[in-house]
Each structure stands twice: as C-alpha cells, then as structure tokens.
Amino acid sequence: MADLNITIAGRSYSVAARDGDEAHLRHLESILQKHADTAQRASGGLSAERTLVYLALILADLLDEAERNPPQGVSPVLLDRIADRLEAVAAALEEDAAAA
C-alpha cells in the first residue's frame, strides 16, 4: 500500500493506493483537475468542501449523461483499462502462486 498526494482545486490530499494503482489515481486526479476551476467558480470559492460538492455534482452529471447516452462500440480507453486490470490480476495470481 502506498500513500499518494493528489491535488484537487489547489488543495493537496494524501490517499492510500494499492500497489500498481498509482498511475490510475494520477489519471483520476487529472480528470478532477480538468473540472476543478468550474467547481471553484460555482462554489464561489467559499470552502474546499463546497468546491468538492460542486465537483461531485459536475462528475455525477457527466456520468448520468454517459449512462443515458452510451457511446456506440467499445472505447479504446476502456479496452486499455480492462487490459491493465487483467495484467494486475495476473500479477497478483503469480505472486500468490509463488508464495504457496
């Protein structure tokens, strides 16, 4: 387990990450950062908590839109994520087999 510092809307947060998930968390951090300015403006910059609530609402709206209007076909990004997860599962299985 690794501790990772991520920055969202100008504030740093320490989060725990499973080994190998650091790159994925950095990717999620970049998604949050992409919408952070909008969330800060919507919250009036009053507090970090209020900014995070607006950020959550923005992301929930995007998720809702994607669920109501799913893209046609399989996204290359999704395929890459599935491949990464499968590789992580394979590595974990290899570690378990080696430990047994």
Side-chain angles (χ1 to χ4, degrees):
M1 207 46 113
D3 285 331
L4 191 67
N5 287 320
I6 62 172
T7 302
I8 303 168
R11 293 192 173 241
S12 292
Y13 301 91
S14 180
V15 296
R18 290 181 297 204
D19 291 335
D21 277 354
E22 295 88 352
H24 180 66
L25 284 173
R26 289 287 179 211
H27 173 69
L28 296 178
E29 175 187 29
S30 71
I31 292 171
L32 293 171
Q33 278 299 102
K34 185 167 62 170
H35 300 286
D37 287 341
T38 302
Q40 282 184 308
R41 283 192 304 275
S43 72
L46 297 176
S47 70
E49 181 179 87
R50 190 170 170 93
T51 297
L52 291 176
V53 167
Y54 276 94
L55 186 54
L57 288 170
I58 291 167
L59 296 174
D61 185 50
L62 292 171
L63 177 61
D64 180 58
E65 178 66 26
E67 288 175 345
R68 283 189 284 126
N69 300 306
Q72 300 300 317
V74 179
S75 152
V77 173
L78 178 58
L79 290 175
D80 286 341
R81 291 171 97 182
I82 291 170
D84 289 343
R85 294 290 181 181
L86 288 173
E87 288 174 11
V89 168
L93 290 173
E94 287 174 4
E95 286 178 21
D96 287 346

